[in-house]
Amino acid sequence: SSSLSSPEEVFEQFAQFLIQHQTSMIAEIEEADGSDVAFSKDGWGAFEDSNNDNTKSGGITRVIQGGNIVEKGACSLTIIRNGVLTAERAATIRGRQEQVVEGSVDGDDGLVIQEGDIYSAAALSVVLHTKNPFVPTFRSDVRIFLVKSAEKDGESVAWFGGGSDLTPYYLIDQDIIDFHTHLKKMCDDHFPANNNQYNLSYRQMKQSCDEYFYLPARSEHRGTGGIFFDDLPATQSTSEFVRGVAQGWMPSWLPIVQKNGSREYTEEEKHWQCLRRGRYLEFNLLYDRGVKFGLANANPRVEGVMVSAPPRIAFDYNHVPEEGSEEERLVGILKNPKDWV
């Protein structure tokens, strides 16, 4: 296809990629997990039966519970077609658009998003909560958002967003360095410093990740980060980057699983993991945009929104890690994120 594909074409190709990628990634996770536990499959809307109707909205929520490696994991596909923007949602998007235009060289093509415009969205998200405290929780998503003007000859515009990050319970520095090195190489390949119209770089996306996954009340970041990007104009070339992000998820995380997945741990270490998972839930319920949106009103798919919650969590009153301990070292890094590469 030409490099000047329409936003609709970029959207459709990307949606089909997400459907395939969900299936292939789940096979990889099940193989790495090595238990007899498989992902459940809960299809709705267009995916309720086996024929995927690509005119309707729908999704597939797939969950694994009680595996060898993954205590609870979810891989969710959602495709929304022909939704209508409310005034509030249109205003939110306009505000984000204005920020992007200020920060970029050329801005977008000048489509002003209005109430009543037609939108489509497609997203694939993954959260893998690990059984072993020495293997970090892995979270990632990629998404595309398409808006078609209700007037102006039905002009359309689309953006990508996404990222991936780690939430460790014990800091094994080399694992975090390797993970960030993988991300940096991928970003450098797609957005070379000397030829980068989108003003994007690993540094900038890493900083966005640190800023997004932050618990202000505790002055703590949720994990050791990764990359996070939003409002990236959707073209053939940015589509390749975003596919690269998704295809890099397992190669960046599975080596950590292979190293530490069968490492022995104590009950105290497991309890610490459960305490830290409490922060994960705090972030999701209070600050995560997608979760807040999904919980704002009566929602028949509420289980799909809450699917990223950890399986077991502990809240102890005023738990302070022992001085000089590995637990204390982790909290130090979460309060002051560092550059891993």
Side-chain angles (χ1 to χ4, degrees), residues 290-315:
V291 174
K292 281 169 77 172
F293 180 73
L295 297 181
N297 299 296
N299 183 351
R301 298 288 315 161
V302 66
E303 282 295 305
V305 177
M306 287 300 294
V307 76
S308 59
R312 273 171 58 206
I313 300 175
F315 280 95

Side-chain angles (χ1 to χ4, degrees), residues 9-261:
E9 283 174 310
V10 174
F11 181 90
E12 277 313 320
Q13 288 166 2
F14 191 70
Q16 294 309 311
F17 163 74
L18 295 184
I19 294 167
Q20 291 154 5
H21 193 59
Q22 182 186 37
T23 304
S24 64
M25 192 170 54
I26 280 171
E28 268 190 279
I29 297 166
E30 285 176 346
E31 191 186 343
D33 192 80
S35 62
D36 295 332
V37 185
F39 276 82
S40 61
K41 188 171 186 180
D42 176 16
W44 58 277
F47 298 96
E48 223 152 336
D49 38 39
S50 51
N51 61 339
N52 160 26
D53 177 348
N54 71 355
T55 59
K56 293 196 323 201
S57 297
I60 308 172
T61 302
R62 303 204 55 181
V63 180
I64 186 170
Q65 300 183 97
N68 285 342
I69 297 295
V70 183
E71 194 173 331
K72 180 185 172 197
C75 183
S76 308
L77 171 78
T78 310
I79 299 179
I80 305 292
R81 295 180 189 276
N82 302 319
V84 179
L85 284 180
T86 60
E88 190 185 4
R89 198 102 195 264
T92 304
I93 297 167
R94 271 202 310 278
R96 298 236 310 266
Q97 248 186 322
E98 280 157 20
Q99 286 176 333
V100 174
V101 171
E102 277 168 28
S104 72
V105 192
D106 52 1
D108 62 25
D109 56 8
L111 175 64
V112 178
I113 308 296
Q114 307 280 3
E115 177 182 5
D117 284 352
I118 307 301
Y119 76 92
S120 296
L124 182 64
S125 66
V126 188
V127 177
L128 302 173
H129 289 292
T130 47
K131 183 173 162 183
N132 193 308
F134 294 101
V135 180
T137 284
F138 176 78
R139 187 223 65 92
S140 58
D141 74 312
V142 286
R143 52 192 182 274
I144 186 169
F145 194 77
L146 171 78
V147 179
K148 194 173 163 70
S149 172
E151 41 188 81
K152 207 178 173 185
D153 310 324
E155 194 187 329
S156 59
V157 61
W159 306 271
F160 286 117
S164 71
D165 58 273
L166 294 181
T167 303
Y169 305 99
Y170 287 93
L171 271 183
I172 301 168
D173 294 53
Q174 195 56 50
D175 292 346
I176 314 297
I177 291 167
D178 291 347
F179 181 79
H180 278 269
T181 302
H182 174 102
L183 292 176
K184 183 175 188 302
K185 184 185 183 313
M186 185 180 59
C187 295
D188 290 350
D189 287 350
H190 282 275
F191 299 111
N194 57 349
N195 175 24
N196 181 358
Q197 70 182 99
Y198 299 106
N199 219 4
L200 272 187
S201 65
Y202 162 77
R203 286 263 164 267
Q204 188 257 334
M205 287 185 267
K206 188 234 185 238
Q207 191 183 340
S208 298
C209 188
D210 287 341
E211 285 168 5
Y212 184 75
F213 293 106
Y214 182 65
L215 290 150
R218 296 192 183 273
S219 306
E220 255 177 38
H221 295 262
R222 193 184 72 183
T224 49
I227 58 169
F228 181 89
F229 59 94
D230 227 343
D231 309 306
L232 175 63
T235 64
Q236 279 306 115
S237 77
T238 56
S239 177
E240 279 170 35
F241 167 68
V242 182
R243 284 172 199 232
V245 169
Q247 285 162 336
W249 288 342
M250 289 303 101
S252 68
W253 183 70
L254 288 177
I256 304 177
V257 170
Q258 278 140 14
K259 272 174 64 184
N260 303 313

Side-chain angles (χ1 to χ4, degrees), residues 319-331:
H319 183 280
V320 180
E322 217 172 291
E323 214 173 309
S325 66
E326 278 300 298
E327 291 83 355
E328 186 189 56
R329 188 168 82 89
L330 173 73
V331 175

